[in-house]
Amino acid sequence: MERRTFIQGLAALGVMGSLPLPLSQAFANTVHNPVSVDDLPKLKGDLTLYLGRGEGGLYENVLQAIQKNNPDFNLAIRRGPTAALANTIVAEAKAGVKRADLFWAVDSGAIGLVTDAGLAKPLPNDLSAQLQPQFKYKEWAPVTGRIRTLPYNTSRLTKDQIPTSIMEIAESDLSIGWAPAYASFQSFVTAMRILEGDDKTAKWLKKVKKRAKTYAGELGVVMGVERGEVDIGFANHYYTLRLKSGKPDAKLDLAFTQNDAGCLVNASGILTLNSDPLATNFMRYLLSKEVQGYLAREAYEIPLVNGIEQPDGLPSLSSVLPPKIDLTQLADLRPTIDLMRSNGVL
């Protein structure tokens, strides 16, 4: 993949006139080749984006670059917690108000809340064709992925000492770091409920709680593992990769479970709430090779578009065995939160 920066890639659009290729021709080979911003139409007009909080700075960099290189495009942004914005979109629709044109959520559960309400518009075929087969949905486009992992302290453990089953972790004598109030952890528990049932999940939570140290967020979990406060942790992959990028000698590595909620691949995603071609074209920018490459290199998130390199330090998805689950099933967090509260986890 060409290693130019995202900003340089978008800068090429600043001198574009008409499209260099007809749109249908530009997207003809997207099954195997990611689309470049050089082949996308200029954005002209006004849109309102509801942006969930997450990798805010990096996502903001993407949005600023898109706007800078499309001077006739005005993007109004409403920022907030992803779940709160999803609820707002549903409430506005019930009130007959449509303020958002697009919703970029950092968690697929929030996407599911909006799609279940029948508010998202179908994706055009060319957008779906760009995505890896297991991440194709009719009404939303995954932008980047994140996989649940077991960061572990390499001075205390070897990888073969760590169970490859998330359920067996509860039976081990390992000390554990977790952040149960964190949204990604709650999505993981929701996946466990779907795959294992409420009773097994409740028993798992009770057993892990006896040996777990609680942190405010998953970066804190990973830092605690690296300092040797606990043996392992539950966290999205990118916290470990980011810490190691700044501290190459960190006593830290990643382990993975297999075919269970412990290696769930969740995703941020974008959907459009109207049929305006401008909104769809904006989505195309987020799936371009420049944006996907930028988020993989800088945020260490997993590109879900065909033909983009994985972040350094992460094995390919084909070598990891995540569970088969429709990510929009993670939308209803209430039963998960109730279960966690009734078992003293929250």
Side-chain angles (χ1 to χ4, degrees):
M1 182 181 69
E2 188 176 355
R3 300 291 288 184
R4 62 180 177 177
T5 68
F6 165 64
I7 300 299
Q8 289 171 329
L10 283 186
L13 288 174
V15 296
M16 281 178 56
S18 59
L19 267 176
L21 294 171
L23 203 55
S24 59
Q25 184 180 348
F27 294 137
N29 296 315
T30 56
V31 171
H32 301 292
N33 301 310
V35 173
S36 170
V37 292
D38 297 335
D39 295 326
L40 293 176
K42 294 287 281 185
L43 302 176
K44 296 181 180 180
D46 301 328
L47 287 176
T48 297
L49 169 70
Y50 281 20
L51 175 64
R53 288 183 190 144
E55 308 313 316
L58 294 172
Y59 290 178
E60 294 284 357
N61 289 347
V62 169
L63 297 174
Q64 289 172 14
I66 291 173
Q67 292 178 89
K68 180 178 179 181
N69 289 278
N70 289 275
D72 295 323
F73 175 54
N74 178 47
L75 183 67
I77 304 172
R78 177 172 179 175
R79 301 165 178 85
T82 288
L85 289 178
N87 285 317
T88 297
I89 289 170
V90 173
E92 288 176 348
K94 288 180 178 178
V97 177
K98 283 194 174 181
R99 294 193 175 97
D101 299 302
L102 295 151
F103 179 36
W104 187 359
V106 297
D107 184 271
S108 59
I111 290 280
L113 190 68
V114 176
T115 58
D116 287 350
L119 300 177
K121 301 300 180 183
L123 290 183
N125 290 335
D126 67 82
L127 275 175
S128 296
Q130 292 177 253
L131 296 162
Q132 297 178 29
Q134 65 272 42
F135 296 104
K136 291 185 179 182
Y137 294 90
K138 292 182 179 179
E139 297 172 316
W140 65 286
V143 178
T144 53
R146 61 286 310 272
I147 186 168
R148 298 300 298 174
T149 61
L150 302 174
Y152 68 95
N153 186 291
T154 54
S155 66
R156 297 175 64 146
L157 292 173
T158 60
K159 190 171 293 187
D160 59 8
Q161 292 177 286
I162 302 171
T164 56
S165 164
I166 194 65
M167 304 310 287
E168 291 178 11
I169 294 291
E171 308 297 334
S172 72
D173 59 0
L174 299 171
S175 59
I176 299 166
W178 70 356
Y182 200 64
S184 291
F185 183 87
Q186 293 171 6
S187 291
F188 148 69
V189 175
T190 302
M192 184 182 290
R193 287 181 46 248
I194 292 169
L195 296 167
E196 308 289 347
D198 285 6
D199 289 344
K200 285 186 178 180
T201 302
K203 291 176 181 177
W204 185 89
L205 288 168
K206 287 179 181 177
K207 290 179 180 179
V208 171
K209 182 176 181 290
K210 293 177 181 178
R211 297 193 323 282
K213 177 179 175 63
T214 298
Y215 295 85
E218 292 190 344
L219 176 59
V221 169
V222 170
M223 293 174 69
V225 171
E226 199 277 331
R227 289 192 297 263
E229 296 171 1
V230 290
D231 296 324
I232 66 169
F234 303 131
N236 284 341
H237 75 275
Y238 44 72
Y239 294 111
T240 294
L241 298 187
R242 292 175 195 170
L243 192 152
K244 291 184 71 173
S245 71
K247 188 178 181 182
D249 60 346
K251 299 174 182 177
L252 189 66
D253 203 353
L254 289 175
F256 300 85
T257 61
Q258 297 177 2
N259 295 308
D260 59 29
C263 59
L264 173 73
V265 178
N266 207 334
S268 67
I270 183 87
L271 59 79
T272 178
L273 299 156
N274 66 41
S275 300
D276 186 345
L278 177 61
T280 304
N281 285 336
F282 176 85
M283 294 170 69
R284 290 189 172 102
Y285 276 73
L286 298 188
L287 298 187
S288 69
K289 70 176 182 180
E290 288 83 7
V291 171
Q292 291 283 304
Y294 172 78
L295 292 175
R297 291 190 303 273
E298 300 299 326
Y300 290 90
E301 296 187 20
I302 302 171
L304 303 179
V305 168
N306 291 305
I308 305 294
E309 292 179 3
Q310 297 279 20
D312 291 338
L314 188 71
S316 67
L317 286 182
S318 62
S319 67
V320 180
L321 300 173
K324 294 181 179 179
I325 189 169
D326 181 341
L327 294 179
T328 56
Q329 290 182 274
L330 306 179
D332 189 3
L333 283 178
R334 179 51 53 190
T336 296
I337 293 172
D338 290 344
L339 185 71
M340 293 174 71
R341 285 176 175 165
S342 65
N343 288 279
V345 176
L346 288 177

